[in-house]
mmCIF file with all atom_site columns, all heavy atoms in Angstrom:
data_model
loop_
_atom_site.group_PDB
_atom_site.id
_atom_site.type_symbol
_atom_site.label_atom_id
_atom_site.label_alt_id
_atom_site.label_comp_id
_atom_site.label_asym_id
_atom_site.label_entity_id
_atom_site.label_seq_id
_atom_site.pdbx_PDB_ins_code
_atom_site.Cartn_x
_atom_site.Cartn_y
_atom_site.Cartn_z
_atom_site.occupancy
_atom_site.B_iso_or_equiv
_atom_site.pdbx_formal_charge
_atom_site.auth_seq_id
_atom_site.auth_comp_id
_atom_site.auth_asym_id
_atom_site.auth_atom_id
_atom_site.pdbx_PDB_model_num
ATOM 1   N N   . ARG A 1 8   ? 51.066 -14.265 -46.695 1.00 0.00 ? 83  ARG A N   1
ATOM 2   C CA  . ARG A 1 8   ? 50.926 -15.219 -47.822 1.00 0.00 ? 83  ARG A CA  1
ATOM 3   C C   . ARG A 1 8   ? 49.799 -14.770 -48.786 1.00 0.00 ? 83  ARG A C   1
ATOM 4   O O   . ARG A 1 8   ? 49.842 -15.028 -50.001 1.00 0.00 ? 83  ARG A O   1
ATOM 5   C CB  . ARG A 1 8   ? 50.637 -16.586 -47.257 1.00 0.00 ? 83  ARG A CB  1
ATOM 6   C CG  . ARG A 1 8   ? 50.549 -17.684 -48.273 1.00 0.00 ? 83  ARG A CG  1
ATOM 7   C CD  . ARG A 1 8   ? 50.487 -19.086 -47.671 1.00 0.00 ? 83  ARG A CD  1
ATOM 8   N NE  . ARG A 1 8   ? 49.144 -19.277 -46.981 1.00 0.00 ? 83  ARG A NE  1
ATOM 9   C CZ  . ARG A 1 8   ? 49.087 -19.370 -45.665 1.00 0.00 ? 83  ARG A CZ  1
ATOM 10  N NH1 . ARG A 1 8   ? 50.236 -19.311 -44.837 1.00 0.00 ? 83  ARG A NH1 1
ATOM 11  N NH2 . ARG A 1 8   ? 47.976 -19.596 -45.048 1.00 0.00 ? 83  ARG A NH2 1
ATOM 12  N N   . ILE A 1 20  ? 36.967 -1.818  -52.488 1.00 0.00 ? 95  ILE A N   1
ATOM 13  C CA  . ILE A 1 20  ? 36.641 -1.232  -51.156 1.00 0.00 ? 95  ILE A CA  1
ATOM 14  C C   . ILE A 1 20  ? 36.481 0.324   -51.310 1.00 0.00 ? 95  ILE A C   1
ATOM 15  O O   . ILE A 1 20  ? 35.566 0.943   -50.702 1.00 0.00 ? 95  ILE A O   1
ATOM 16  C CB  . ILE A 1 20  ? 37.682 -1.544  -50.077 1.00 0.00 ? 95  ILE A CB  1
ATOM 17  C CG1 . ILE A 1 20  ? 37.530 -3.156  -49.792 1.00 0.00 ? 95  ILE A CG1 1
ATOM 18  C CG2 . ILE A 1 20  ? 37.479 -0.809  -48.844 1.00 0.00 ? 95  ILE A CG2 1
ATOM 19  C CD1 . ILE A 1 20  ? 38.594 -3.608  -48.885 1.00 0.00 ? 95  ILE A CD1 1
ATOM 20  N N   . LEU A 1 64  ? -0.452 10.382  -45.238 1.00 0.00 ? 139 LEU A N   1
ATOM 21  C CA  . LEU A 1 64  ? -0.942 10.518  -46.475 1.00 0.00 ? 139 LEU A CA  1
ATOM 22  C C   . LEU A 1 64  ? -1.959 9.307   -46.747 1.00 0.00 ? 139 LEU A C   1
ATOM 23  O O   . LEU A 1 64  ? -1.598 8.171   -46.511 1.00 0.00 ? 139 LEU A O   1
ATOM 24  C CB  . LEU A 1 64  ? 0.159  10.535  -47.601 1.00 0.00 ? 139 LEU A CB  1
ATOM 25  C CG  . LEU A 1 64  ? 1.077  11.731  -47.584 1.00 0.00 ? 139 LEU A CG  1
ATOM 26  C CD1 . LEU A 1 64  ? 2.173  11.496  -48.566 1.00 0.00 ? 139 LEU A CD1 1
ATOM 27  C CD2 . LEU A 1 64  ? 0.269  13.016  -47.968 1.00 0.00 ? 139 LEU A CD2 1
ATOM 28  N N   . LEU A 1 95  ? 12.549 -28.821 -67.905 1.00 0.00 ? 170 LEU A N   1
ATOM 29  C CA  . LEU A 1 95  ? 12.279 -29.218 -69.276 1.00 0.00 ? 170 LEU A CA  1
ATOM 30  C C   . LEU A 1 95  ? 13.519 -29.260 -70.167 1.00 0.00 ? 170 LEU A C   1
ATOM 31  O O   . LEU A 1 95  ? 13.746 -30.185 -70.990 1.00 0.00 ? 170 LEU A O   1
ATOM 32  C CB  . LEU A 1 95  ? 11.251 -28.147 -69.858 1.00 0.00 ? 170 LEU A CB  1
ATOM 33  C CG  . LEU A 1 95  ? 9.829  -28.181 -69.234 1.00 0.00 ? 170 LEU A CG  1
ATOM 34  C CD1 . LEU A 1 95  ? 9.080  -27.085 -69.830 1.00 0.00 ? 170 LEU A CD1 1
ATOM 35  C CD2 . LEU A 1 95  ? 9.126  -29.546 -69.462 1.00 0.00 ? 170 LEU A CD2 1
ATOM 36  N N   . GLU A 1 171 ? 13.663 -11.843 -67.016 1.00 0.00 ? 246 GLU A N   1
ATOM 37  C CA  . GLU A 1 171 ? 14.671 -12.334 -66.123 1.00 0.00 ? 246 GLU A CA  1
ATOM 38  C C   . GLU A 1 171 ? 14.799 -13.802 -65.941 1.00 0.00 ? 246 GLU A C   1
ATOM 39  O O   . GLU A 1 171 ? 15.730 -14.340 -65.305 1.00 0.00 ? 246 GLU A O   1
ATOM 40  C CB  . GLU A 1 171 ? 14.506 -11.622 -64.732 1.00 0.00 ? 246 GLU A CB  1
ATOM 41  C CG  . GLU A 1 171 ? 14.569 -10.154 -64.799 1.00 0.00 ? 246 GLU A CG  1
ATOM 42  C CD  . GLU A 1 171 ? 15.879 -9.635  -65.049 1.00 0.00 ? 246 GLU A CD  1
ATOM 43  O OE1 . GLU A 1 171 ? 16.914 -10.435 -65.035 1.00 0.00 ? 246 GLU A OE1 1
ATOM 44  O OE2 . GLU A 1 171 ? 15.999 -8.376  -65.363 1.00 0.00 ? 246 GLU A OE2 1
ATOM 45  N N   . PHE A 1 174 ? 18.087 -15.898 -66.752 1.00 0.00 ? 249 PHE A N   1
ATOM 46  C CA  . PHE A 1 174 ? 19.242 -15.866 -65.882 1.00 0.00 ? 249 PHE A CA  1
ATOM 47  C C   . PHE A 1 174 ? 19.142 -16.964 -64.746 1.00 0.00 ? 249 PHE A C   1
ATOM 48  O O   . PHE A 1 174 ? 20.044 -17.729 -64.515 1.00 0.00 ? 249 PHE A O   1
ATOM 49  C CB  . PHE A 1 174 ? 19.346 -14.550 -65.270 1.00 0.00 ? 249 PHE A CB  1
ATOM 50  C CG  . PHE A 1 174 ? 20.527 -14.388 -64.274 1.00 0.00 ? 249 PHE A CG  1
ATOM 51  C CD1 . PHE A 1 174 ? 21.860 -14.118 -64.731 1.00 0.00 ? 249 PHE A CD1 1
ATOM 52  C CD2 . PHE A 1 174 ? 20.323 -14.532 -62.965 1.00 0.00 ? 249 PHE A CD2 1
ATOM 53  C CE1 . PHE A 1 174 ? 22.865 -13.977 -63.789 1.00 0.00 ? 249 PHE A CE1 1
ATOM 54  C CE2 . PHE A 1 174 ? 21.415 -14.333 -62.000 1.00 0.00 ? 249 PHE A CE2 1
ATOM 55  C CZ  . PHE A 1 174 ? 22.699 -14.184 -62.490 1.00 0.00 ? 249 PHE A CZ  1
ATOM 56  N N   . THR A 1 209 ? 15.762 -35.367 -59.220 1.00 0.00 ? 284 THR A N   1
ATOM 57  C CA  . THR A 1 209 ? 16.145 -34.084 -59.695 1.00 0.00 ? 284 THR A CA  1
ATOM 58  C C   . THR A 1 209 ? 15.764 -32.985 -58.767 1.00 0.00 ? 284 THR A C   1
ATOM 59  O O   . THR A 1 209 ? 16.614 -32.127 -58.356 1.00 0.00 ? 284 THR A O   1
ATOM 60  C CB  . THR A 1 209 ? 15.443 -33.811 -61.100 1.00 0.00 ? 284 THR A CB  1
ATOM 61  O OG1 . THR A 1 209 ? 15.776 -34.967 -62.003 1.00 0.00 ? 284 THR A OG1 1
ATOM 62  C CG2 . THR A 1 209 ? 15.939 -32.592 -61.644 1.00 0.00 ? 284 THR A CG2 1
ATOM 63  N N   . GLY A 1 226 ? 15.009 -10.407 -49.394 1.00 0.00 ? 301 GLY A N   1
ATOM 64  C CA  . GLY A 1 226 ? 15.588 -9.067  -49.285 1.00 0.00 ? 301 GLY A CA  1
ATOM 65  C C   . GLY A 1 226 ? 15.085 -8.133  -50.262 1.00 0.00 ? 301 GLY A C   1
ATOM 66  O O   . GLY A 1 226 ? 15.196 -6.910  -50.167 1.00 0.00 ? 301 GLY A O   1
ATOM 67  N N   . VAL A 1 244 ? -2.950 4.126   -63.634 1.00 0.00 ? 319 VAL A N   1
ATOM 68  C CA  . VAL A 1 244 ? -2.697 2.970   -62.886 1.00 0.00 ? 319 VAL A CA  1
ATOM 69  C C   . VAL A 1 244 ? -1.927 3.199   -61.637 1.00 0.00 ? 319 VAL A C   1
ATOM 70  O O   . VAL A 1 244 ? -1.320 2.306   -61.057 1.00 0.00 ? 319 VAL A O   1
ATOM 71  C CB  . VAL A 1 244 ? -1.921 1.889   -63.775 1.00 0.00 ? 319 VAL A CB  1
ATOM 72  C CG1 . VAL A 1 244 ? -2.919 1.338   -64.809 1.00 0.00 ? 319 VAL A CG1 1
ATOM 73  C CG2 . VAL A 1 244 ? -0.671 2.447   -64.397 1.00 0.00 ? 319 VAL A CG2 1
ATOM 74  N N   . MET A 1 260 ? 11.793 14.085  -56.260 1.00 0.00 ? 335 MET A N   1
ATOM 75  C CA  . MET A 1 260 ? 12.400 14.778  -57.482 1.00 0.00 ? 335 MET A CA  1
ATOM 76  C C   . MET A 1 260 ? 11.377 15.670  -58.134 1.00 0.00 ? 335 MET A C   1
ATOM 77  O O   . MET A 1 260 ? 11.746 16.881  -58.499 1.00 0.00 ? 335 MET A O   1
ATOM 78  C CB  . MET A 1 260 ? 12.923 13.750  -58.382 1.00 0.00 ? 335 MET A CB  1
ATOM 79  C CG  . MET A 1 260 ? 13.918 12.771  -57.820 1.00 0.00 ? 335 MET A CG  1
ATOM 80  S SD  . MET A 1 260 ? 15.419 13.695  -57.213 1.00 0.00 ? 335 MET A SD  1
ATOM 81  C CE  . MET A 1 260 ? 16.094 14.305  -58.665 1.00 0.00 ? 335 MET A CE  1
ATOM 82  N N   . GLY A 1 272 ? 12.579 6.731   -48.443 1.00 0.00 ? 347 GLY A N   1
ATOM 83  C CA  . GLY A 1 272 ? 13.702 5.926   -48.866 1.00 0.00 ? 347 GLY A CA  1
ATOM 84  C C   . GLY A 1 272 ? 14.316 5.183   -47.627 1.00 0.00 ? 347 GLY A C   1
ATOM 85  O O   . GLY A 1 272 ? 14.677 4.121   -47.724 1.00 0.00 ? 347 GLY A O   1
ATOM 86  N N   . LYS A 1 275 ? 12.088 2.450   -46.429 1.00 0.00 ? 350 LYS A N   1
ATOM 87  C CA  . LYS A 1 275 ? 12.243 1.207   -47.207 1.00 0.00 ? 350 LYS A CA  1
ATOM 88  C C   . LYS A 1 275 ? 13.616 0.495   -46.932 1.00 0.00 ? 350 LYS A C   1
ATOM 89  O O   . LYS A 1 275 ? 13.586 -0.715  -46.901 1.00 0.00 ? 350 LYS A O   1
ATOM 90  C CB  . LYS A 1 275 ? 12.213 1.666   -48.700 1.00 0.00 ? 350 LYS A CB  1
ATOM 91  C CG  . LYS A 1 275 ? 12.456 0.547   -49.676 1.00 0.00 ? 350 LYS A CG  1
ATOM 92  C CD  . LYS A 1 275 ? 12.645 1.008   -51.088 1.00 0.00 ? 350 LYS A CD  1
ATOM 93  C CE  . LYS A 1 275 ? 13.189 -0.077  -51.917 1.00 0.00 ? 350 LYS A CE  1
ATOM 94  N NZ  . LYS A 1 275 ? 13.612 0.386   -53.221 1.00 0.00 ? 350 LYS A NZ  1
ATOM 95  N N   . LEU A 1 289 ? 18.022 -17.557 -42.600 1.00 0.00 ? 364 LEU A N   1
ATOM 96  C CA  . LEU A 1 289 ? 17.351 -18.693 -43.025 1.00 0.00 ? 364 LEU A CA  1
ATOM 97  C C   . LEU A 1 289 ? 18.176 -19.523 -44.020 1.00 0.00 ? 364 LEU A C   1
ATOM 98  O O   . LEU A 1 289 ? 18.190 -20.727 -44.052 1.00 0.00 ? 364 LEU A O   1
ATOM 99  C CB  . LEU A 1 289 ? 16.055 -18.340 -43.764 1.00 0.00 ? 364 LEU A CB  1
ATOM 100 C CG  . LEU A 1 289 ? 14.976 -17.701 -42.819 1.00 0.00 ? 364 LEU A CG  1
ATOM 101 C CD1 . LEU A 1 289 ? 13.722 -17.255 -43.630 1.00 0.00 ? 364 LEU A CD1 1
ATOM 102 C CD2 . LEU A 1 289 ? 14.531 -18.781 -41.735 1.00 0.00 ? 364 LEU A CD2 1
#
Side-chain angles (χ1 to χ4, degrees):
R83 187 172 63 251
I95 293 175
L139 293 174
L170 293 174
E246 299 295 345
F249 178 84
T284 307
V319 289
M335 301 301 294
K350 175 193 167 186
L364 294 175

